Amino acid sequence: MGPDRSHQASVGAPGLVAEIERITPMGRMAEPEEIAGAALFLATQASDMVTGHILAVDGGYLAQ
């Protein structure tokens, strides 16, 4: 994992990152490299026929 970025997400909202991590099945927020594959897929011809779909890269949050 990369450097701890939790302080960036919680500026002005103490405890926000901890709460998000608590309610997410994987128990943590994604690292940029974990989101890169989905972004690359959506930016290439591999996703040309993908329409009207939400590609959730959320650590299982929506699957609850």
Side-chain angles (χ1 to χ4, degrees):
M1 279 191 223
D4 180 22
R5 287 180 284 280
S6 62
H7 68 283
Q8 295 174 357
S10 63
V11 172
L16 177 61
V17 171
E19 179 62 15
I20 291 170
E21 290 175 341
R22 186 187 70 75
I23 62 175
T24 301
M26 290 193 72
R28 62 183 178 81
M29 294 180 74
E31 295 294 328
E33 58 271 13
E34 294 172 313
I35 297 172
L40 181 61
F41 168 70
L42 293 171
T44 64
Q45 289 181 340
S47 67
D48 280 356
M49 294 299 291
V50 177
T51 63
H53 178 76
I54 296 172
L55 180 59
V57 184
D58 64 0
Y61 179 78
L62 289 177
Q64 299 184 76

